[in-house]
Amino acid sequence: MSPEPADTSAAPADPQAPELYLNRELSQLEFNFRVLAQAKDPRVPLLERLKYLCISCTNLDEFFEIRAATVRTALQFGGPLPPDGIQPSRALELIHDKAAELVAEQYRYWNEALRPELNAAGIRILANSAWNARQRKWLHRYFRDELLPVLSPLGLDPVHPFPRILNKSLNVVVVLEGKDAFGRNGGMAIVRAPRSLPRIIQLPPEISGGQHDFVLLSAVLTAFVDDLFTGMRVKGAYQFRVTRNSELFVDEEEVENLASALKDELASRGFRPAVRLEIAENCPRPIVHTLLQNFGLSENAVYRINGPVNLNRVTQVYDLVDRPDLKFPAFKPGPVAIDEESPFETLRQRDVLLHHPYQGFQSVLDLLQHAANDPDVLAIKQTLYRTGKDSKIIDHLITAARNGKDVTVCVELRARFDEEANIHLADQLQEAGVQVMYGVVGYKTHAKMMLIVRREGKKLQRYVHLGTGNYHAGTARAYTDIGLMSSHPDIAADVHDIFQQLSGLAPAIKLRKMMQSPFTLHKGILARIEREAKLARAGKGGHIIAKMNALNEAQVIRALYEASQAGVKIELIVRGACCLRPGVPGMSENITVRSVVGRFLEHSRVYWFGNGGKAETFCSSADWMERNLLRRVETCFPILDPRLAERVYDEELANYLNDNQQAWELREDGSYVRVSPAADEMPYSAQGALLAKLCG
């Protein structure tokens, strides 16, 4: 089911008209169809296709935990309508219909195509019905030895009310007949799979006959669950999983210690209100009704599953199977034009651009390590949003502090799903003598910046690193991002001032070259869009190209509509949700929107404004979203070196506008169509071109 199309027979002249705005949640679901399309693409290696399928499932989990949960909260407590004007009750109906379509397609593809192809390649995920006698005997023994001792089934009766079910945990509801040891009549019981149990079990080759044979924990539980209920008859066993609202709610102005308050919230996150129930397709209707009642859910929150309810867990097979022939070819990141032994000398002469993952994140780590051990470096300041486990960034910051540097780190404790990890690393840094701050009350610090202060002769010299992505070595290998290293005095002074603001020691000030949220970035974008519109009205053209993860900020969308009406050519590359409706006659026919979904997750944010032949190129940590522009601390930095600006334009904009392999065009009705080469065109992949150009 496609999003409700706009009636464009008489296109509205008002750029605020609700029908001109696509629903954010439905647009986000459309993105997951594009991810699923990667799983179906025969050009993609088989195990990578498995990974894409699992990513689409994991994305859907997060969608329900955050986006669908937000809509349910709006239904319960009210609030302003989004720009599309759709009431929460109607939005939930549309979400259910679209999500049900996605789920059905995920499992159809898994059952009918991907699983058989894996089997043919010697990678078998065996269902109960496929077990031979020897496999069943081994699995039964495994159940008794490894699983049964840690399982605690709970019968449902007046003495044993319905248990608390942890968010996204695997459970089995069992229907029983007969009497137990105390003479109690059978009924229903719940078997919860503890987190300690592996979700994927690999069969020994000597038992299975194959090198890569696996069984899902859910299949083992349902096959041998009767061992838990001796003397009773199991009439049915049905796996289920509940998804809960995972937004954390902390009134920062009312708490004395944000870290402590977040720890309390994290402890209860797994048991917040339910938003979705996934259950085995063959589960009887009365049991489904009972579960819905216990979780406080309506009919439009249940999804019947033809397969494992936690299909995303199959992604573990990717790492368990050593088959390079079924994965993307390995690549080595290309070199960065910086002297590894004397990075500061290079940066005094010129700016250095990094394009991840085609160029390695190691250059950032090397710069920080060099600063940590350089006796002339006096201070290091850093923002941290996500870092990953065992981060070298943290090691280098601790080394710097122990070497007597003044080290200040702004740790964003509210980085979604990384809150616990960030609390831990903040404690770790503080124990090492690093000054840790948690940003600004009410505003997440999403900016990515590093500042190094070094004494050089009689003066202090500042060096900066700014990026569109996190200081996370893992995502730097999987996400596309732009980084800039510079000693430009104005850029360095701007970064210094932003750090002063974060520490609470500076008022809102006018930056020299950069823009920042929540003060100047929103206004700066609107002003530049209007400038392009004025140029177009004066017959001097007007051109905007912008690449980002998502677009939903209403004022920016209205400004783009008005610029389109003025004749500005607007080319948007938006990976995920986009609420702007392109191609509406008289309103947005000069706007195109495309999404690129490939081997790497497109994560860089680049804004380019034609400016009458004096183009401006910016990179940013911010998408054109309401939260990024108005409720976060974000940075947007210009690429001042003409050679580097040209490189950003070529690699991040023109390159992606030419893609006809992994690109999708957004249509007026909110659906996407895959771009194909024209009759006279050669196939062209933007990511493939960058691998060839930068990695050699």
Side-chain angles (χ1 to χ4, degrees), residues 9-26:
S9 55
D14 180 8
Q16 299 188 59
E19 57 266 33
L20 287 173
Y21 295 82
L22 296 169
N23 179 266
R24 176 181 176 181
E25 283 67 42
L26 298 181

mmCIF file of all heavy atoms in Angstrom, residues 9-26:
data_model
loop_
_atom_site.group_PDB
_atom_site.id
_atom_site.type_symbol
_atom_site.label_atom_id
_atom_site.label_comp_id
_atom_site.label_asym_id
_atom_site.label_seq_id
_atom_site.Cartn_x
_atom_site.Cartn_y
_atom_site.Cartn_z
ATOM 1 N N SER A 9 -4.662 17.733 -9.133
ATOM 2 C CA SER A 9 -5.417 18.213 -10.288
ATOM 3 C C SER A 9 -5.514 19.726 -10.271
ATOM 4 O O SER A 9 -5.545 20.374 -11.308
ATOM 5 C CB SER A 9 -6.821 17.579 -10.280
ATOM 6 O OG SER A 9 -7.460 17.849 -9.040
ATOM 7 N N ALA A 10 -5.575 20.288 -9.057
ATOM 8 C CA ALA A 10 -5.513 21.750 -8.915
ATOM 9 C C ALA A 10 -4.497 22.014 -7.807
ATOM 10 O O ALA A 10 -4.834 22.060 -6.639
ATOM 11 C CB ALA A 10 -6.881 22.322 -8.552
ATOM 12 N N ALA A 11 -3.251 22.091 -8.199
ATOM 13 C CA ALA A 11 -2.165 22.166 -7.222
ATOM 14 C C ALA A 11 -2.321 23.392 -6.327
ATOM 15 O O ALA A 11 -2.593 24.490 -6.809
ATOM 16 C CB ALA A 11 -0.821 22.220 -7.947
ATOM 17 N N PRO A 12 -2.184 23.214 -5.023
ATOM 18 C CA PRO A 12 -2.334 24.343 -4.113
ATOM 19 C C PRO A 12 -1.200 25.343 -4.285
ATOM 20 O O PRO A 12 -0.055 24.968 -4.505
ATOM 21 C CB PRO A 12 -2.290 23.676 -2.732
ATOM 22 C CG PRO A 12 -1.522 22.422 -2.951
ATOM 23 C CD PRO A 12 -1.852 21.966 -4.337
ATOM 24 N N ALA A 13 -1.527 26.602 -4.187
ATOM 25 C CA ALA A 13 -0.512 27.648 -4.279
ATOM 26 C C ALA A 13 0.148 27.878 -2.932
ATOM 27 O O ALA A 13 1.177 28.525 -2.846
ATOM 28 C CB ALA A 13 -1.138 28.946 -4.780
ATOM 29 N N ASP A 14 -0.461 27.365 -1.867
ATOM 30 C CA ASP A 14 0.046 27.570 -0.517
ATOM 31 C C ASP A 14 1.080 26.508 -0.184
ATOM 32 O O ASP A 14 0.756 25.321 -0.086
ATOM 33 C CB ASP A 14 -1.112 27.491 0.471
ATOM 34 C CG ASP A 14 -0.658 27.706 1.911
ATOM 35 O OD1 ASP A 14 0.529 28.064 2.107
ATOM 36 O OD2 ASP A 14 -1.476 27.514 2.827
ATOM 37 N N PRO A 15 2.351 26.887 0.001
ATOM 38 C CA PRO A 15 3.377 25.881 0.311
ATOM 39 C C PRO A 15 3.209 25.251 1.683
ATOM 40 O O PRO A 15 3.949 24.332 2.023
ATOM 41 C CB PRO A 15 4.683 26.674 0.214
ATOM 42 C CG PRO A 15 4.301 28.088 0.445
ATOM 43 C CD PRO A 15 2.917 28.243 -0.124
ATOM 44 N N GLN A 16 2.250 25.735 2.481
ATOM 45 C CA GLN A 16 1.988 25.128 3.780
ATOM 46 C C GLN A 16 0.848 24.118 3.728
ATOM 47 O O GLN A 16 0.524 23.504 4.744
ATOM 48 C CB GLN A 16 1.654 26.205 4.815
ATOM 49 C CG GLN A 16 2.770 27.207 5.048
ATOM 50 C CD GLN A 16 2.480 28.127 6.218
ATOM 51 O OE1 GLN A 16 2.296 27.677 7.344
ATOM 52 N NE2 GLN A 16 2.437 29.415 5.961
ATOM 53 N N ALA A 17 0.241 23.915 2.558
ATOM 54 C CA ALA A 17 -0.885 22.997 2.437
ATOM 55 C C ALA A 17 -0.473 21.590 2.868
ATOM 56 O O ALA A 17 0.552 21.074 2.415
ATOM 57 C CB ALA A 17 -1.397 22.992 1.006
ATOM 58 N N PRO A 18 -1.240 20.927 3.754
ATOM 59 C CA PRO A 18 -0.852 19.609 4.273
ATOM 60 C C PRO A 18 -0.599 18.567 3.191
ATOM 61 O O PRO A 18 0.260 17.699 3.357
ATOM 62 C CB PRO A 18 -2.048 19.221 5.162
ATOM 63 C CG PRO A 18 -2.652 20.514 5.569
ATOM 64 C CD PRO A 18 -2.476 21.430 4.391
ATOM 65 N N GLU A 19 -1.339 18.657 2.086
ATOM 66 C CA GLU A 19 -1.165 17.640 1.042
ATOM 67 C C GLU A 19 0.183 17.722 0.343
ATOM 68 O O GLU A 19 0.555 16.832 -0.423
ATOM 69 C CB GLU A 19 -2.288 17.726 0.014
ATOM 70 C CG GLU A 19 -2.437 19.069 -0.654
ATOM 71 C CD GLU A 19 -3.462 19.968 0.033
ATOM 72 O OE1 GLU A 19 -3.594 19.877 1.275
ATOM 73 O OE2 GLU A 19 -4.123 20.747 -0.669
ATOM 74 N N LEU A 20 0.951 18.781 0.605
ATOM 75 C CA LEU A 20 2.281 18.904 0.010
ATOM 76 C C LEU A 20 3.365 18.222 0.849
ATOM 77 O O LEU A 20 4.529 18.213 0.457
ATOM 78 C CB LEU A 20 2.643 20.378 -0.167
ATOM 79 C CG LEU A 20 1.910 21.123 -1.283
ATOM 80 C CD1 LEU A 20 2.225 22.602 -1.235
ATOM 81 C CD2 LEU A 20 2.281 20.541 -2.638
ATOM 82 N N TYR A 21 2.970 17.650 1.982
ATOM 83 C CA TYR A 21 3.949 17.062 2.889
ATOM 84 C C TYR A 21 3.693 15.565 3.038
ATOM 85 O O TYR A 21 2.574 15.144 3.335
ATOM 86 C CB TYR A 21 3.896 17.746 4.262
ATOM 87 C CG TYR A 21 4.304 19.198 4.185
ATOM 88 C CD1 TYR A 21 3.404 20.179 3.784
ATOM 89 C CD2 TYR A 21 5.605 19.582 4.477
ATOM 90 C CE1 TYR A 21 3.787 21.512 3.671
ATOM 91 C CE2 TYR A 21 5.999 20.913 4.374
ATOM 92 C CZ TYR A 21 5.078 21.870 3.967
ATOM 93 O OH TYR A 21 5.468 23.187 3.861
ATOM 94 N N LEU A 22 4.735 14.791 2.811
ATOM 95 C CA LEU A 22 4.656 13.349 3.002
ATOM 96 C C LEU A 22 4.792 13.021 4.485
ATOM 97 O O LEU A 22 5.478 13.722 5.227
ATOM 98 C CB LEU A 22 5.755 12.647 2.211
ATOM 99 C CG LEU A 22 5.682 12.797 0.684
ATOM 100 C CD1 LEU A 22 6.955 12.285 0.034
ATOM 101 C CD2 LEU A 22 4.462 12.071 0.123
ATOM 102 N N ASN A 23 4.139 11.955 4.895
ATOM 103 C CA ASN A 23 4.200 11.539 6.289
ATOM 104 C C ASN A 23 5.574 10.964 6.608
ATOM 105 O O ASN A 23 6.086 10.105 5.894
ATOM 106 C CB ASN A 23 3.103 10.496 6.561
ATOM 107 C CG ASN A 23 3.124 9.998 7.989
ATOM 108 O OD1 ASN A 23 3.738 8.982 8.284
ATOM 109 N ND2 ASN A 23 2.464 10.715 8.876
ATOM 110 N N ARG A 24 6.155 11.446 7.691
ATOM 111 C CA ARG A 24 7.522 11.038 8.046
ATOM 112 C C ARG A 24 7.616 9.536 8.302
ATOM 113 O O ARG A 24 8.564 8.881 7.848
ATOM 114 C CB ARG A 24 7.969 11.807 9.289
ATOM 115 C CG ARG A 24 9.339 11.376 9.798
ATOM 116 C CD ARG A 24 9.722 12.149 11.045
ATOM 117 N NE ARG A 24 10.986 11.666 11.597
ATOM 118 C CZ ARG A 24 11.550 12.158 12.701
ATOM 119 N NH1 ARG A 24 10.969 13.156 13.348
ATOM 120 N NH2 ARG A 24 12.694 11.654 13.149
ATOM 121 N N GLU A 25 6.668 8.979 9.025
ATOM 122 C CA GLU A 25 6.736 7.564 9.374
ATOM 123 C C GLU A 25 6.592 6.677 8.136
ATOM 124 O O GLU A 25 7.327 5.691 7.974
ATOM 125 C CB GLU A 25 5.648 7.218 10.399
ATOM 126 C CG GLU A 25 5.958 7.662 11.811
ATOM 127 C CD GLU A 25 5.982 9.170 11.991
ATOM 128 O OE1 GLU A 25 5.087 9.842 11.435
ATOM 129 O OE2 GLU A 25 6.883 9.691 12.674
ATOM 130 N N LEU A 26 5.664 7.017 7.256
ATOM 131 C CA LEU A 26 5.493 6.223 6.038
ATOM 132 C C LEU A 26 6.718 6.340 5.147
ATOM 133 O O LEU A 26 7.124 5.367 4.495
ATOM 134 C CB LEU A 26 4.237 6.660 5.292
ATOM 135 C CG LEU A 26 2.918 6.476 6.052
ATOM 136 C CD1 LEU A 26 1.742 6.937 5.186
ATOM 137 C CD2 LEU A 26 2.723 5.029 6.473
#
